[in-house]
């Protein structure tokens, strides 16, 4: 079958793309509003951009044509923390994905503790195996209303890793990380099954 995005419903285009671009890492993003109230929400449109200096990006879509709290908070403060979702906290992540009112702290409703950050004001998720303290560098609108999004490009200021994750060669123990990935709808996956595929070594003849 073939689908032309220009001639199908945007929601169908979303469902098709979200089912093909899988698995996606989850940016469990903590921010604060101008009054200092914490907010926490997961975003699966998330990627690493470069390592020198380290930058990552998340895409934040609109909700009913309105900007989400996370985006408004980033605009106001320029700061965020991206926490890794692991299997032990996947239910809490699901709770924070609901459309909670602006005055409600997702930390509270999910029963999560706050961990102070070092270089930014938003807190980290206590118990998360990894967290990235970030400063927003660019906020780029992509697409149009009501289904458009904003691409937030961030510089990583601090990398927090649980001690047992770091191996002697400074590689991360991915089995211990237990990162959760987004598939589509309510479907997720983990990194439990891992295997190596080596790229070929090309030699001049």
């Amino acid at each position: 079958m073939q689908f032309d995005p220009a001639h199908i419903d945007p929601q169908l285009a979303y469902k098709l793309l979200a089912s093909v671009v899988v698995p996606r890492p989850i940016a469990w993003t903590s921010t604060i509003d101008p009054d200092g109230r914490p907010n926490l929400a997961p975003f699966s449109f998330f990627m690493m951009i470069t390592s020198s200096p380290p930058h990552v990006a998340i895409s934040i879509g609109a909700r009913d044509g309105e900007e989400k709290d996370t985006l408004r908070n980033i605009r106001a403060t320029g700061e965020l923390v991206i926490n890794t979702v692991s299997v032990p906290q996947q239910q809490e992540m699901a709770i924070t994905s609901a459309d909670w009112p602006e005055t409600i702290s997702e930390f509270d409703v999910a029963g999560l503790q706050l961990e102070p950050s070092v270089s930014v004001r938003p807190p980290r998720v206590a118990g998360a195996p990894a967290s990235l303290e970030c400063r927003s560098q660019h906020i780029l609108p992509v697409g149009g209303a009501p289904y458009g999004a904003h691409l937030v490009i961030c510089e990583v200021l601090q990398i927090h890793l649980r001690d047992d994750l770091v191996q002697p060669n400074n590689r991360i123990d991915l089995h211990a990380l237990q990162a959760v990935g987004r598939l589509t709808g309510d479907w997720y996956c983990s990194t439990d099954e891992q295997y190596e595929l080596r790229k070929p070594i090309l030699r001049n003849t």
Side-chain angles (χ1 to χ4, degrees):
M1 300 179 69
Q2 179 179 341
F3 296 87
D4 184 342
H7 296 95
I8 61 175
D9 184 82
Q11 286 289 351
L12 175 57
Y14 168 83
K15 290 179 180 179
L16 295 174
L17 286 172
S19 298
V20 172
V21 185
V22 292
R24 298 186 303 278
I26 302 171
W28 205 9
T29 305
S30 50
T31 58
I32 59 170
D33 69 12
D35 295 324
R37 292 178 296 192
N39 179 274
L40 182 64
F43 298 93
S44 64
F45 289 8
F46 168 45
M47 66 175 293
M48 175 180 172
I49 299 177
T50 183
S51 60
S52 181
H55 281 73
V56 295
I58 59 173
S59 176
I60 303 176
R63 178 183 292 121
D64 299 326
E66 298 291 330
E67 292 186 353
K68 294 181 178 179
D69 296 340
T70 298
L71 181 59
R72 290 198 296 268
N73 291 347
I74 294 172
R75 286 191 190 280
T77 68
E79 297 178 342
L80 61 154
V81 177
I82 296 175
N83 305 274
T84 296
V85 178
S86 63
V87 171
Q89 292 182 318
Q90 58 187 349
Q91 291 297 331
E92 287 82 357
M93 179 275 297
I95 293 171
T96 66
S97 68
D99 297 338
W100 297 100
E102 182 180 358
T103 56
I104 298 296
S105 169
E106 290 82 1
F107 281 93
D108 291 339
V109 295
L112 293 164
Q113 298 297 314
L114 289 70
E115 190 79 19
S117 296
V118 174
S119 299
V120 298
R121 287 167 290 174
R124 295 179 283 139
V125 174
S131 299
L132 307 176
E133 296 185 23
C134 300
R135 178 180 296 123
S136 171
Q137 297 293 327
H138 306 283
I139 300 177
L140 307 175
V142 182
Y147 299 108
H150 285 80
L151 183 68
V152 181
I153 300 175
C154 316
E155 182 178 357
V156 178
L157 305 179
Q158 300 287 339
I159 302 172
H160 297 268
L161 298 167
R162 200 175 64 214
D163 290 347
D164 66 290
L165 296 178
V166 184
Q167 299 175 320
N169 59 0
N170 285 329
R171 295 283 187 180
I172 302 302
D173 184 343
L174 298 180
H175 287 285
L177 183 66
Q178 293 185 288
V180 174
R182 179 82 185 277
L183 296 175
T184 186
D186 292 332
W187 287 91
Y188 294 83
C189 65
S190 68
T191 54
D192 283 347
E193 183 178 358
Q194 299 166 18
Y195 50 89
E196 188 174 39
L197 290 175
R198 292 184 177 273
K199 62 182 177 182
I201 299 175
L202 304 181
R203 295 183 175 87
N204 294 327
T205 57

